[in-house]
Amino acid sequence: MSAKKRGSKRVWVDLDDAPEWTEEQFDRAEIALGGKVVRPAQGTLTRPRGRPKKADAKVHTHIRLSPQVLSHFRATGPGWQTRIDQVLRKWVERRRRQSQRGSKRAPTA
């Protein structure tokens, strides 16, 4: 009968064995006195996680649409929300061009 082997125990590492910090690490480190941050961390320590944010990132919002509009776009398959966004962008651009044409016209007197 074979007995299960016990997992190896984690070996305690003496903190004195840790490598010493370099000047660069000290320059990037956060400095705090009495729990109050005097200088926040700099460089790679503060790099945000994940993909960088786009300058024109979409905004999460909640809108109410008529059932006819919603069913029409949903019937077109995946990406229906993007298509609604495209239609609205075209409408906004058309309105913007119309208002610019109206302001360029000479006033009638």
Side-chain angles (χ1 to χ4, degrees), residues 12-80:
W12 180 77
V13 177
D14 188 4
L15 295 179
D16 291 335
D17 293 340
E20 292 196 22
W21 278 36
T22 64
E23 284 295 320
E24 180 186 355
Q25 289 172 320
F26 275 110
D27 292 341
R28 291 183 306 167
E30 175 180 275
I31 298 176
L33 295 174
K36 184 172 180 163
V37 176
V38 177
R39 187 189 76 194
Q42 301 167 5
T44 57
L45 297 175
T46 60
R47 185 172 50 222
R49 296 178 66 179
R51 182 188 310 185
K53 303 294 183 215
K54 290 174 58 177
D56 62 342
K58 293 180 180 177
V59 177
H60 185 93
T61 186
H62 179 89
I63 63 171
R64 296 169 60 93
L65 302 172
S66 68
Q68 296 84 5
V69 169
L70 193 57
S71 64
H72 169 77
F73 280 98
R74 280 188 171 167
T76 62
W80 60 270

